[in-house]
Amino acid sequence: VTARDTEEKMTTQTFKTLAVAALALTSLAGCSTLDPSPALISARAGYAAMAGSTNPYNAAERGQAHAAVNRANGILAGGDPAKADLLAQIALAKVQNAEVVGQTGDAAARLVGTQSEAISVARARGMAAAGITAAANNATALTQDQIERERAARAAAEAARQKALDNLKLFANVVEDKERGLVISIGGETLFKVNSAKFGPSANQELTALSVYLQLDPRPTVVEGHTDNSGKPAFNMKLSQARAKDVMDFLVAQGVSADRITSVGFGETRPIADNKTKAGKALNRRVDVVMVKATQ
Amino acid sequence: MRHLSKLILACALITGCATPPAGPPPKWMTDAQASIDEAKAAGAEQVPAAAEHLQKAQLALANAQAGKVDPGLQASLAMSEATLAKHIAKDAKVKGDLQTATNQLNALKGQ
């Protein structure tokens, strides 16, 4: 086997690999029947440019931008281009916001450094640096004050979140799932009348507690409806979809941001217990509120 | 007479349907307005790039109030645009201060 043979073989393999990749891309493009709006294209590109950033000043905003872009992508894939475009505009604003906040943090850090250097230069030349010192002290004090306030606000928010979570645990099963994120599971009978998507008497109190928690935990959220295997599968599917949507609508009306929450019904297809027993059926009739695990 | 009573009934129904029940505005509506107010307080109206996003926020809030497509999302858009406007205004202020401090430092070094 000559070197030329080897080279030809490798070239042939490269062409084959490229051909397979091109075919895969064509297939993907073929599956995607809806084109993204200009806002979504810009939001995707903007987020991609900052995805690997380690800027410490906009970490939270980058996370919000990521979630918003994912949400717009998901709705577009679900076949609702009008809603996807609205979400894309929100995502684009969040991406731009993250960029601006990062730049402001950098500029503020440089401002403190520049003022410190100006004080040093003034002192070295025996100049009265009182004015600059005062300005620099103000800037430093402002920065420290801001850091302290942010720290206190974060601690207060975490305490409030924990308290709201404890309230939820009084009537819901709360599990941290490694794959899915935080899953808040509420029994169907707790929220709804039998075989109906109408809320039962205790639903208002419990869904209000849920909305309080969701407003303190900003992760993207999916409301899932599930049933047991009694009755016809088609009816169960519709019932689970209607129940999940009703819960989502209630949460949005209570103040949970509509751009971070979706609903889906799975009918009887995803049981968590044996449908042969009464207790198992009761466990399967449920609404799962899934706080989606961050992917970055 | 029968026609008259039908007409009165129709008018009553139309009037009843056209009058929405009074009540406090939804939380997302007041939150969006609060974000717009915060952006204005940060000086967004005086910074062209921020003013542009402030206008988008006001338009989205108006759409939400008018009950146009997906008022909840329109209000979310208003909040996002208002937050962006506020941060652009703050960014302009910090960068202005940085420019002043840099000029000051350069002047000191030149003396």
Side-chain angles (χ1 to χ4, degrees):
Chain A
V1 178
T2 64
R4 186 178 172 77
D5 288 339
T6 308
E7 191 182 333
E8 276 182 4
K9 197 175 174 183
M10 283 177 70
T11 307
T12 308
Q13 274 184 337
T14 307
F15 274 122
K16 277 183 182 171
T17 308
L18 283 172
V20 170
L23 187 63
L25 281 173
T26 311
S27 302
L28 279 175
C31 290
S32 173
T33 53
L34 297 171
D35 291 330
S37 66
L40 185 51
I41 292 170
S42 299
R44 285 173 179 171
Y47 180 72
M50 72 171 72
S53 166
T54 54
N55 188 318
Y57 304 109
N58 67 351
E61 288 77 10
R62 287 202 309 273
Q64 289 166 6
H66 187 203
V69 171
N70 280 347
R71 171 106 169 95
N73 283 337
I75 295 296
L76 182 66
D80 189 344
K83 189 173 180 182
D85 183 48
L86 205 46
L87 286 162
Q89 292 176 52
I90 293 169
L92 182 57
K94 287 184 187 290
V95 167
Q96 291 171 334
N97 186 52
E99 287 169 355
V100 170
V101 170
Q103 287 175 16
T104 308
D106 288 338
R110 282 168 55 206
L111 173 61
V112 172
T114 304
Q115 286 175 328
S116 298
E117 190 182 350
I119 292 165
S120 301
V121 172
R123 282 189 181 142
R125 299 188 179 190
M127 296 166 67
I132 301 168
T133 308
N137 285 344
N138 281 341
T140 310
L142 273 174
T143 309
Q144 284 175 343
D145 180 50
Q146 191 176 0
I147 291 168
E148 280 306 315
R149 276 190 287 121
E150 283 176 8
R151 192 176 294 158
R154 265 193 224 113
E158 176 54 25
R161 191 192 68 82
Q162 192 55 51
K163 190 177 175 191
L165 189 60
D166 290 343
N167 281 342
L168 274 184
K169 287 176 180 172
L170 295 175
F171 61 89
N173 185 35
V174 182
V175 177
E176 186 70 55
D177 185 295
K178 281 182 184 172
E179 296 294 324
R180 305 166 75 199
L182 187 74
V183 182
I184 301 160
S185 196
I186 307 173
E189 288 86 347
T190 309
L191 297 177
F192 296 100
K193 293 176 180 171
V194 177
N195 281 339
S196 164
K198 287 184 178 171
F199 289 132
S202 63
N204 187 58
Q205 187 184 349
E206 282 150 6
L207 290 178
T208 300
L210 181 61
S211 80
V212 168
Y213 179 76
L214 260 58
Q215 288 175 73
L216 295 167
D217 185 338
R219 284 181 279 182
T221 303
V222 182
V223 180
E224 299 178 354
H226 301 272
T227 67
D228 62 24
N229 67 349
S230 305
K232 293 181 178 174
F235 174 80
N236 287 337
M237 183 60 76
K238 278 188 182 171
L239 180 64
S240 66
Q241 287 166 347
R243 284 180 166 184
K245 185 175 183 307
D246 282 354
V247 169
M248 180 182 75
D249 290 346
F250 182 97
L251 294 171
V252 170
Q254 290 276 308
V256 174
S257 175
D259 67 343
R260 56 168 280 210
I261 189 165
T262 49
S263 70
V264 61
F266 289 110
E268 60 189 68
T269 61
R270 296 193 178 184
I272 53 170
D274 190 350
N275 267 317
K276 289 175 186 166
T277 67
K278 201 173 176 183
K281 279 179 187 278
L283 286 171
N284 289 334
R285 293 191 294 270
R286 70 197 191 277
V287 171
D288 285 349
V289 178
V290 184
M291 316 285 293
V292 179
K293 192 179 173 75
T295 53
Q296 48 177 4
Chain B
M1 193 64 192
R2 276 173 63 190
H3 289 302
L4 185 62
S5 60
K6 278 182 183 172
L7 186 65
I8 291 168
L9 180 64
C11 286
L13 282 172
I14 289 166
T15 312
C17 292
T19 311
K27 188 174 181 299
W28 42 259
M29 197 88 87
T30 51
D31 283 351
Q33 185 59 57
S35 297
I36 288 172
D37 293 344
E38 275 183 37
K40 285 181 181 172
E45 286 166 307
Q46 283 74 49
V47 180
E52 189 185 319
H53 288 285
L54 183 61
Q55 279 182 357
K56 286 184 181 177
Q58 288 166 326
L59 179 63
L61 179 58
N63 286 341
Q65 286 167 334
K68 288 193 178 172
V69 182
D70 225 325
L73 278 186
Q74 294 281 0
S76 290
L77 177 59
M79 284 180 70
S80 299
E81 291 288 357
T83 303
L84 175 57
K86 178 179 77 176
H87 285 146
I88 291 174
K90 283 188 175 178
D91 187 61
K93 168 83 172 62
V94 171
K95 284 177 178 166
D97 289 349
L98 176 60
Q99 188 59 54
T100 303
T102 305
N103 293 343
Q104 205 171 21
L105 176 62
N106 290 339
L108 278 168
K109 284 179 175 173
Q111 281 179 9

